[in-house]
Amino acid sequence: MSTAENETIEEAPVTNRKQPFPRGFLDTISTGWAERPESLPAARPQAAYAAARRDAVSAAFPGKRLVIEAGSFKQRSNDTDYPFRAHSAFAHLTGWAIDSEPDSVLVFEPAESGHDVTLYFRERADRTTTEFYADATIGEFWIGPRPSLAGVAADLAVATDHLEAFSAADDDVTLADDELARFVSELRLIKDEYEIDEMRRAVEITARGFDDIIAALPDATRHARGERVVEGVFHRRAREDGNGEGYDTIAASGPHACYLHWTRNDGTVLPGDLILVDAGVEADSLYTADVTRTLPVNGTFSDVQRRVYETVLEAADAAFAAARPGVRFREVHEAAMAVIAKRTAEWGLLPVTAEEALDADAGGQHRRYMVHGTSHHLGIDVHDCAQARREMYYDGVLEAGMVFTIEPGLYFQIDDLTVPEEFRGIGVRIEDDILMTADGPVNLSADIPRTADEIEAWIARGSQG
Ligand code: GLY
Ligand code: MN
Ligand code: MN
């Protein structure tokens, strides 16, 4: 849309850092722009899946007005925001992911039958407004093209309206309401076909990122902050082929591997040490992988490193073998912990027997060396479905369509006097992303080398080229 030649634009506010725009600018800035004819897109593939999810929400909350907010920009420092990422429930129920608009609201208005659903968002302003040229956060002159109401309605196959037409009411049910938060979280426990494809895509890109890390290991050993080299090459792959990472990459070399969420990544990468890399690419759809591999920096596991590694692998394989439809989620963890208890007892690390360590009340001595859980659901959030009830999650039963991690580890802190010196400073985690099917579990990340021999061969190949 263009304005009449003689119409002048309203003036942007003057600040302590800006000169007012001169008259000539204001008189001409809104004119001289070509029309923007819009051809409406076909609905994106996830639109039909999102519609089915909205139907489930509507059926669960008859007569209630539901308001699902995308969230807003969050400031990082002056004039600088964190990259916007929509709330996961909003993305799940709209199919609007990396390209969604901040401050959007999905509203379920009770209707005669079910709900009328409308997506409210801030439509792009036309060029007669100060927003267009003077608003650095949302103006198209600054951030690039923004979508129209009709374009988003066609793309997501949902009714749209301008954000100004939305008003909140006192009895709205929002994500701050436990019942709604729980429902939309539990709705994500079983992934549909679209989500499973996106999980596969996220894992595939992650696999390429790990190949890049292998190729960069020699460089990493030559850099004072080698862990940053590792983080950086993964980041490059994540940004080039996806939206980014689903969580901050952990590049933890040597004793840092024993800090479970080491994301400072400012250490050296030394030949002879292991480096634990926990990294996952988030696809443009916001589905994320979550994979850990522990690599010998010089390409070969020492005897003690291999012993620890193979125990963690044994625990991972035991967990995988325990996972099948109908089994409780916690049984997967228990299978891994049985191996950890058995081996740490055999190594003489425990003041009790493995059996005693596994006692639910008096045991847990082995947990000193693996304090975290073995599994969590995975999806749009790296720790997905977090508001699900315990009976649906930890005590819940595995079903086809669930995606979760298996990620046992062993961590012997550098100053842990309960372990022989040769163990100290060794941390190993092996994390894979598992899809449950009616026929049993599928390891989506199985193509990323995981046995000690495969890893040594992978590093040998990677350093050749
Ligand atoms: N990357 C965090 C986790 O594995 O759960
Ligand atoms: Mn994980
Ligand atoms: Mn992880």
Side-chain angles (χ1 to χ4, degrees), residues 224-272:
R225 290 190 183 187
E227 291 174 346
R228 293 281 169 92
V229 173
V230 170
E231 174 194 314
V233 294
F234 191 83
H235 181 69
R236 177 175 177 165
R237 176 63 67 180
R239 287 294 288 163
E240 286 179 358
D241 292 352
N243 175 47
E245 295 92 342
Y247 54 92
D248 289 343
T249 294
I250 297 166
S253 198
H256 291 161
C258 303
Y259 305 126
L260 304 177
H261 283 179
W262 175 260
T263 53
R264 282 184 234 164
N265 301 347
D266 58 0
T268 49
V269 173
L270 301 177

Side-chain angles (χ1 to χ4, degrees), residues 80 87 128 147 225 253 266 292 302 339 341 349 369 411 425 438 457 459-460:
T80 305
H87 191 287
T128 64
R225 290 190 183 187
S253 198
D266 58 0
T292 306
S302 71
V339 172
L349 308 185
Y369 311 113
Y411 313 89
I459 296 174

Side-chain angles (χ1 to χ4, degrees), residues 93-335:
L93 295 173
T94 56
W96 216 14
I98 189 54
D99 52 342
S100 62
E101 287 287 311
D103 301 319
S104 304
V105 206
L106 183 70
V107 178
F108 291 65
E109 197 76 53
E112 256 177 45
S113 137
H115 291 81
D116 291 333
V117 181
T118 304
L119 173 58
Y120 294 89
F121 70 95
R122 195 182 294 103
E123 191 191 11
R124 66 179 173 217
D126 70 39
R127 277 115 169 212
T128 64
T129 62
T130 53
E131 176 185 310
F132 162 57
Y133 72 89
D135 190 323
T137 309
I138 58 172
E140 291 198 286
F141 221 116
W142 295 79
I143 65 157
R146 297 205 356 249
S148 69
L149 293 180
V152 172
D155 187 4
L156 303 177
V158 70
T160 56
D161 204 345
H162 197 280
L163 190 56
E164 283 168 6
F166 165 74
S167 53
D170 283 347
D171 55 353
D172 285 344
V173 178
T174 69
L175 291 172
D177 180 285
D178 288 347
E179 209 188 331
L180 181 59
R182 191 171 66 219
F183 187 86
V184 296
S185 208
E186 290 179 359
L187 190 59
R188 305 211 308 263
L189 283 166
I190 310 275
K191 271 62 181 175
D192 58 37
E193 278 171 44
Y194 172 79
E195 295 179 290
I196 291 168
D197 283 350
E198 287 303 300
M199 290 305 307
R200 287 188 192 280
R201 182 197 309 274
V203 172
E204 249 173 58
I205 306 171
T206 298
R208 277 182 247 147
F210 272 93
D211 284 337
D212 296 346
I213 288 171
I214 294 291
L217 275 182
D219 265 1
T221 62
R222 289 190 287 268
H223 198 288
R225 290 190 183 187
E227 291 174 346
R228 293 281 169 92
V229 173
V230 170
E231 174 194 314
V233 294
F234 191 83
H235 181 69
R236 177 175 177 165
R237 176 63 67 180
R239 287 294 288 163
E240 286 179 358
D241 292 352
N243 175 47
E245 295 92 342
Y247 54 92
D248 289 343
T249 294
I250 297 166
S253 198
H256 291 161
C258 303
Y259 305 126
L260 304 177
H261 283 179
W262 175 260
T263 53
R264 282 184 234 164
N265 301 347
D266 58 0
T268 49
V269 173
L270 301 177
D273 280 345
L274 298 177
I275 180 168
L276 181 158
V277 185
D278 183 342
V281 170
E282 179 181 88
D284 288 348
S285 56
L286 302 183
Y287 289 83
T288 188
D290 181 10
V291 172
T292 306
R293 290 295 183 262
T294 306
L295 315 164
V297 173
N298 64 8
T300 312
F301 289 94
S302 71
D303 287 347
V304 64
Q305 289 168 348
R306 187 179 266 263
R307 197 166 356 134
V308 175
Y309 190 90
E310 291 189 332
T311 293
V312 175
L313 189 65
E314 185 187 348
D317 290 346
F320 188 82
R324 59 186 178 279
V327 156
R328 291 202 185 279
F329 190 80
R330 65 175 149 73
E331 291 176 60
V332 177
H333 173 62
E334 287 161 4

